[in-house]
Amino acid sequence: MSTDAVRDGAPEPLGVTPTATGVNVAVHSADAEAVFFCLFNAAGEVELRRIRLPARTGDVHHGHIDGIRPGDRYGLRAEGAWRPEEGQRFNPAKLLVDPYALALDRPFVLHDALFDARRLGAASDERDSAPHVPKAIVTLPFDRPAPRLDPPVDWDRQVIYELHVRGFSKLNPAVPEAMRGTFAGLGHPASIAHLTRLGVTTIELLPVAAWLDERHLPSLGLSNYWGYNPIAWMAPDPRLAPGGFAEVAAAVAALHGAGIAVILDVVFNHSGESDHLGPTVSMRGLDNAGYYRLQPDDAALYVNDAGTGNILACDRPPVVRLVLDAMRAWVERTGIDGFRFDLATTLGRRADGFDPTAPLLAAIAQDPMLRDRILIAEPWDIGPGGYQLGAFPAVWGEWNDRYRDTVRRFFRGDAGRIGDLATRLAGSADIFAPRHRGVDRSINFVTAHDGFTLADLVAHEHKHNGANGEHNRDGTDDNKSWNNGVEGSATDPAILARRSADVRALLMTLVFSRGTPMLAMGDELGRSQNGNNNAYAQDNLATWLDWASADDDLIAFTARLLALRAAHPALRDPRPLIGRPLGDASVPDVVWIGPGGVALADRDWNDPALRTLGMVLSEPETGARLCLLLHGGGEDVEVTLPPARSGHAWGKAAESLEFGPLATAFPMPSRSAILLVEAGVGDRFLNWQGPSFRP
């Protein structure tokens, strides 16, 4: 390559963009003295050229380099000061991944050369990290219109299924072995058949952007499995998508063909470069003080509101730009339907605290490609004022941990939960209605990737995280769980039957509550992690779906519940329940009853001994009434059905265990649930045969 093959180029677009004769390279760095484009051979092993970008516009270093083609491998280097106390950590010996990279040639693997020895007091560090850093791949621009949501998603019909791309198909014998654990495996007909059988409408994928292990994991023989440690937000991780964006897009298209929407769990609150002792692999080496929020009294240290070592400064223009460009890249190139934002409070935090109109949140709301997507917040982080449930923009959904905690405590038998349970069953209107939001924006869940599985929730009172190598110190101790008399594995048929019934009662409560239900992968087939409630580093049999041992009866039970929810508008209406007739209706939209079958009096709501609650819903669309009865006590209770209307009768639609023949009064076992539908005498009920068990 001759010296005249490098020209000034343009500061836009950011990243490496192919042109007719080469590439335009544009890299943001406010403090770098020089930025270099490093070309590697086809294997990504040998650095062929190191080319200084010749021009700078504002904080963007740029240049046009002839002769570079799509498919070429590259990295970046930056020269500048090593002054951590001022937030500057430059080292040209460290190869850096372009934050705008769209494809990587290999996964990230930790190596000591990625860490600048000066962070521990060494006078210098000239070790070249390039042999141990993935190389970005020059990628053609997207030349088709961005896919649109057409029609926009119906929030009230959503049922979300949270899954891990690798763990979902890794052990599925119906998926070809070469595809298992990848997006190709997710898009395989066998994978889609399970999702359609269940009746889920939306899958929420744990992070899929290229990530790096936490530095303590290799010495333990472990690796990051969940993916909440990103480095390259616009590049699919090669372990999940060896075919890159094309493989992801094919899977999304196959899911869309089956009527299933796709949401990505994205991590824009922090990066995998961790704290001041972490590796230098991308933004730390390019513009540390610009991308990260540093401690105001010591710029050598990072603000740690995410509990991961660093956070991005999401109120600054370069970070806002990076996040929006990353979101657009995934929408454009794969057609995904939305995003779930990990620790989303960080995204709305200014230097002085959380602001629902902060720059990043406001920018998403104004972006024509992003504003109509499904947007869901995990509305907390560990920073000051970090708990912000209910405070995000009105069109967003939010993970509702108050729902999770209330339902768990009720079925554990905690006293005084009736009032709070009714509020959660009704869609948490206390949280979502004040800002004129439908209660379908409440993402209800009992379990998620973080914490016990549903099977473990009813089999363990304590976490068992020894496999994580942290002496069981990691993971929460506040599980709100119970074990039915034996901790962990059991062989007693009575205990196994009791646990099975508990799982079904919890599923019924979740699916029949107002709001948007979210199921965690494998809860519908009995998946256990053997009591590990923080399995982020368990990329093995402990977390992969064990299809060979799947509880088919539980799968069928879950599918029936979701079919009932879809069939009955009263179970998914986004309007808050008010206890009065709506529109032309002559009966209240809800009546709350106790075990006696009559409306609760004021004194009943404050009775700490009351463990039974009924929600009677009227359904103007069908003329039916529904009654969900929940009993969280440890002993059986005699319940009485509410009076049926003249010419009508109550029939069983679903039950968490076999209650026996329905009568006006009947015993309700401990920790149980039953859904009744009132219809005209002679109408066909839904031929419910009752749950079956496989102790």
Side-chain angles (χ1 to χ4, degrees):
M1 184 182 295
S2 62
T3 56
D4 60 359
V6 181
R7 304 187 299 276
D8 283 356
E12 290 288 343
L14 293 175
V16 175
T17 306
T19 68
T21 61
V23 292
N24 189 81
V25 183
V27 180
H28 181 278
S29 179
D31 296 322
E33 297 167 5
V35 175
F36 298 84
F37 176 89
C38 303
L39 178 67
F40 286 80
N41 67 351
E45 302 295 341
V46 179
E47 187 173 350
L48 303 175
R49 292 291 305 274
R50 188 177 301 185
I51 304 158
R52 178 171 178 159
L53 300 183
R56 177 170 179 171
T57 301
D59 291 336
V60 177
H61 302 249
H62 53 89
H64 186 280
I65 305 170
D66 285 345
I68 309 297
R69 295 289 181 259
D72 286 348
R73 270 63 171 165
Y74 75 95
L76 304 172
R77 299 182 192 267
E79 284 185 355
W82 175 265
R83 288 195 291 267
E85 70 280 1
E86 298 178 12
Q88 298 184 24
R89 294 176 174 268
F90 294 101
N91 186 345
K94 306 306 176 187
L95 189 74
L96 307 173
V97 174
D98 180 5
Y100 279 76
L102 294 166
L104 300 180
D105 68 347
R106 71 198 75 178
F108 283 96
V109 178
L110 274 177
H111 187 277
D112 190 59
L114 306 182
F115 297 82
D116 196 312
R118 290 175 293 179
R119 80 198 195 287
L120 297 176
S124 64
D125 185 348
E126 299 180 357
R127 296 173 299 164
D128 187 2
S129 67
H132 313 290
V133 176
K135 311 308 182 294
I137 301 173
V138 177
T139 303
L140 286 168
F142 192 78
D143 60 357
R144 299 185 301 279
R148 301 293 300 165
L149 284 180
D150 187 24
V153 67
D154 292 324
W155 271 89
D156 68 307
R157 293 184 177 273
Q158 279 206 72
V159 176
I160 299 173
Y161 182 89
E162 185 197 37
L163 71 82
H164 190 288
V165 170
R166 179 168 170 81
F168 184 68
S169 67
K170 182 64 177 173
L171 297 178
N172 191 342
V175 174
E177 187 171 0
M179 294 183 178
R180 294 176 195 168
T182 68
F183 269 94
L186 175 62
H188 187 271
S191 295
I192 293 176
H194 178 73
L195 298 171
T196 54
R197 177 190 178 189
L198 280 180
V200 300
T201 67
T202 304
I203 59 172
E204 181 179 301
L205 306 182
L206 267 67
V208 299
W211 72 84
L212 179 66
D213 288 341
E214 290 83 353
R215 63 178 178 269
H216 71 281
L217 292 179
S219 64
L220 298 172
L222 300 172
S223 61
N224 187 301
Y225 169 65
W226 285 350
Y228 289 93
N229 214 36
I231 295 293
W233 286 268
M234 302 186 202
D237 194 285
R239 290 164 289 194
L240 302 181
F245 273 125
E247 181 177 338
V248 178
V252 171
L255 289 156
H256 283 174
I260 299 171
V262 181
I263 299 172
L264 290 189
D265 192 336
V266 286
V267 184
F268 296 126
N269 56 80
H270 76 280
S271 90
E273 289 182 306
S274 188
D275 59 15
H276 64 290
L277 299 176
T280 298
V281 289
S282 185
M283 297 191 303
R284 172 171 284 144
L286 285 173
D287 192 9
N288 183 64
Y291 282 115
Y292 294 115
R293 196 179 299 285
L294 307 178
Q295 293 282 2
D297 56 346
D298 186 353
L301 302 177
Y302 296 80
V303 174
N304 190 25
D305 292 343
T308 55
N310 66 56
I311 62 167
L312 302 186
C314 290
D315 58 340
R316 298 177 189 165
V319 179
V320 172
R321 168 78 181 271
L322 175 65
V323 171
L324 292 177
D325 286 348
M327 292 173 66
R328 293 191 199 104
W330 284 97
V331 170
E332 286 180 335
R333 293 175 179 269
T334 73
I336 60 161
D337 303 278
F339 303 89
R340 179 266 189 188
F341 299 91
D342 180 64
L343 300 180
T345 299
T346 302
L347 279 58
R349 181 174 277 114
R350 299 178 185 266
D352 58 351
F354 178 79
D355 178 1
T357 63
L360 178 54
L361 303 184
I364 293 171
Q366 298 171 38
D367 190 289
M369 189 184 299
L370 304 176
R371 64 192 179 205
D372 292 331
R373 302 280 148 179
I374 302 169
L375 304 171
I376 298 173
E378 182 184 37
W380 51 77
D381 65 15
I382 66 169
Y387 190 74
Q388 293 292 333
L389 178 62
F392 280 79
V395 298
W396 287 45
E398 299 182 35
W399 273 29
N400 188 349
D401 63 326
R402 287 189 62 183
Y403 179 93
R404 174 199 64 197
D405 293 350
T406 296
V407 170
R408 289 186 181 190
R409 292 185 66 182
F410 173 77
F411 280 106
R412 188 175 63 176
D414 291 12
R417 308 315 308 168
I418 294 297
D420 197 21
L421 178 66
T423 303
R424 304 306 143 222
L425 293 175
S428 297
D430 59 329
I431 297 169
F432 293 95
R435 298 179 60 216
H436 308 286
R437 305 165 77 178
V439 297
D440 50 11
R441 264 40 176 196
S442 172
I443 309 302
N444 298 334
F445 64 104
V446 177
T447 60
H449 69 275
D450 188 2
F452 281 149
T453 69
L454 194 56
D456 287 350
L457 183 69
V458 302
H460 297 85
E461 290 187 356
H462 309 286
K463 66 186 181 185
H464 298 271
N465 296 358
N468 295 349
E470 299 180 42
H471 307 288
N472 210 39
R473 292 191 299 262
D474 63 302
T476 183
D477 293 310
D478 185 19
N479 295 291
K480 301 177 178 66
S481 60
W482 58 97
N483 64 17
N484 281 286
V486 174
E487 184 72 5
S489 179
T491 57
D492 184 338
I495 291 176
L496 295 176
R498 182 64 264 169
R499 290 175 176 177
S500 180
D502 287 353
V503 164
R504 284 164 166 78
L506 289 163
L507 284 171
M508 287 181 62
T509 305
L510 174 64
V511 172
F512 298 149
S513 296
R514 290 278 181 99
T516 296
M518 184 184 77
L519 302 170
M521 181 184 83
D523 280 352
E524 79 284 4
L525 51 78
R527 186 174 78 92
S528 170
Q529 293 176 170
N530 299 312
N532 192 326
N533 73 354
N534 188 35
Y536 77 102
Q538 300 299 317
D539 186 7
N540 50 46
L541 298 176
T543 53
W544 303 338
L545 276 192
D546 181 4
W547 291 96
S549 300
D551 184 341
D552 196 67
D553 289 339
L554 184 58
I555 296 171
F557 179 86
T558 307
R560 178 176 177 80
L561 300 185
L562 296 183
L564 283 166
R565 178 182 174 86
H568 287 287
L571 297 174
R572 49 185 173 78
D573 194 315
R575 294 172 295 182
L577 292 167
I578 60 174
R580 299 191 302 274
L582 296 176
D584 297 330
S586 59
V587 295
D589 60 348
V590 66
V591 177
W592 300 101
I593 64 173
V598 297
L600 293 174
D602 289 346
R603 64 180 181 278
D604 297 323
W605 292 107
N606 299 311
D607 182 357
L610 188 60
R611 300 287 199 278
T612 309
L613 179 67
M615 178 174 67
V616 182
L617 299 171
S618 64
E619 194 166 73
E621 297 88 346
T622 66
R625 286 198 304 164
L626 293 85
C627 177
L628 177 65
L629 286 169
L630 304 175
H631 177 49
E635 304 293 335
D636 294 1
V637 64
E638 186 79 6
V639 297
T640 300
L641 292 177
R645 292 171 294 174
S646 176
H648 293 71
W650 291 106
K652 289 190 293 184
E655 54 191 346
S656 60
L657 72 170
E658 297 182 35
F659 281 68
L662 192 62
T664 302
F666 58 92
M668 193 165 186
S670 63
R671 293 193 303 279
S672 62
I674 185 169
L675 179 70
L676 307 165
V677 177
E678 182 201 58
V681 174
D683 286 355
R684 291 177 59 85
F685 289 105
L686 299 177
N687 298 314
W688 176 241
Q689 301 300 314
S692 56
F693 300 91
R694 286 182 170 179

